[in-house]
Amino acid sequence: MTIPAFGLGTFRLKNDIVIASVKTALELGYRTIDTAQIYDNEAAVGQAIEESAIPRTELFITTKIWIENLSKEKLIPSLKDSLRKLRTDYVDLALIHWPSPADTVPVEEFMQALLEAKKEGLTREIGVSNFTIPLMERAIASVGAENIATNQVELSPFLQNRKVVDWAKEHGIHITSYMTLAYGKALKDAVIMRIADKYNATAAQVILAWAIGEGYAVIPSSTKRENLASNMLALDLKLDDEDKKAIAKLECNDRLVSPEGLAPDWD
């Protein structure tokens, strides 16, 4: 299964706000929705999907297992709870949201449990998020690279994460980019704005088109219909080599997501 190149993120959106965002996105043609147990919005996302009346087979739904549920005793029950909230019999992709802090639950234990969830049909594919190269090595040793559909990592023009990206690519692991717009910081960058003017595009479209062009999946979120519609047009925007080189130079290792006590030792 290939990971869709473009989808809707739901981080920080809850209750009526996330319901409206998901419903609007689905109306506009989005078919990929990304959520997580810790977002506390799976039930609202499930309600929005059900009320949209779009056939389940047309959708690609991702959720992520929170660190408290990583043990072999808790992982599958927690995923079943997520499915109940999402009003579906399966998700298309289940990810480990963060590695277990201080290796409290070993990578091998939770990856085996996640693979068992796949064998039980609770998820079509499995993967990881916020994994460094050493953590990906352990995950591969545990379940095989063929069973790791993606590594979802923070990735933007300011944090291009090349070591992780190149290593994952060599081992057949797809990359999903989150925080692609760098909390909106990248929208104000002069280089991005110049490229946007060149194509009569928005800065967001340029950044998303760049990431998609690099082979990554993107999951931007928005609560505004015009932005949701506009972001989708990134799929039709193709940047030239000059643009790509200019964006490559924006790398400055500007990591925005590194929670204390949760983040691994980054590559």
Side-chain angles (χ1 to χ4, degrees), residues 25 30 54 82 86 89 98 114 131 161 201 207 227 231 234 236 252:
Y30 284 68
I54 290 166
S82 291
L86 287 163
D89 296 329
W98 287 87
L114 197 57
F131 267 42
N161 231 327
I207 298 162
N227 290 347
N231 287 347
D236 301 321
C252 57

Side-chain angles (χ1 to χ4, degrees), residues 79-246:
L79 181 54
K80 286 179 177 175
D81 190 47
S82 291
L83 297 182
R84 181 182 58 75
K85 290 174 180 171
L86 287 163
R87 308 187 191 192
T88 182
D89 296 329
Y90 67 96
V91 286
D92 298 274
L93 179 62
L95 304 178
I96 300 299
H97 202 157
W98 287 87
S100 185
D103 211 31
T104 305
V105 181
V107 172
E108 296 72 19
E109 179 177 333
F110 60 66
M111 289 309 298
Q112 289 288 343
L114 197 57
L115 183 59
E116 183 55 38
K118 180 181 175 181
K119 288 175 180 170
E120 288 186 20
L122 304 176
T123 180
R124 296 285 170 87
E125 296 292 339
I126 63 174
V128 296
S129 180
N130 299 300
F131 267 42
T132 59
I133 292 170
L135 289 164
M136 284 192 286
E137 286 176 327
R138 288 176 64 186
I140 286 173
S142 179
V143 299
E146 71 279 5
N147 281 309
I148 303 172
T150 196
N151 184 8
Q152 187 178 122
V153 295
E154 181 185 350
L155 196 150
S156 76
F158 304 148
L159 179 75
Q160 298 184 23
N161 231 327
R162 287 289 170 193
K163 274 176 81 173
V164 164
V165 165
D166 292 345
W167 194 94
K169 207 175 195 176
E170 281 172 31
H171 293 79
I173 296 175
H174 185 263
I175 291 289
T176 300
S177 160
Y178 75 78
M179 218 60 72
T180 318
L181 306 179
Y183 277 138
K185 278 169 66 175
L187 301 178
K188 300 164 193 154
D189 182 84
V191 171
I192 300 290
M193 290 168 76
R194 177 177 53 75
I195 296 170
D197 286 344
K198 173 177 164 182
Y199 293 101
N200 194 25
T202 67
Q205 285 165 1
V206 168
I207 298 162
L208 296 170
W210 163 76
I212 293 166
E214 293 292 310
Y216 316 139
V218 296
I219 44 171
S221 65
S222 181
T223 56
K224 297 178 180 173
R225 175 179 282 268
E226 57 269 32
N227 290 347
L228 288 165
S230 174
N231 287 347
M232 274 188 93
L233 298 177
L235 287 162
D236 301 321
L237 178 59
K238 300 288 182 281
L239 305 184
D240 63 28
D241 288 342
E242 185 187 336
D243 305 325
K244 293 173 187 174
K245 284 174 186 168

Side-chain angles (χ1 to χ4, degrees), residues 8-11 13 18 22 32-46 49 60-65 82 86 91 93-95 97 152 219:
L8 179 75
T10 62
F11 176 54
L13 306 182
V18 80
V22 171
T32 299
I33 312 290
D34 180 283
T35 182
Q37 293 174 345
I38 196 65
Y39 296 173
D40 192 26
N41 65 10
E42 288 174 316
V45 168
I49 289 170
F60 190 100
I61 303 172
T62 298
T63 197
K64 300 184 274 296
I65 309 291
S82 291
L86 287 163
V91 286
L93 179 62
L95 304 178
H97 202 157
Q152 187 178 122
I219 44 171

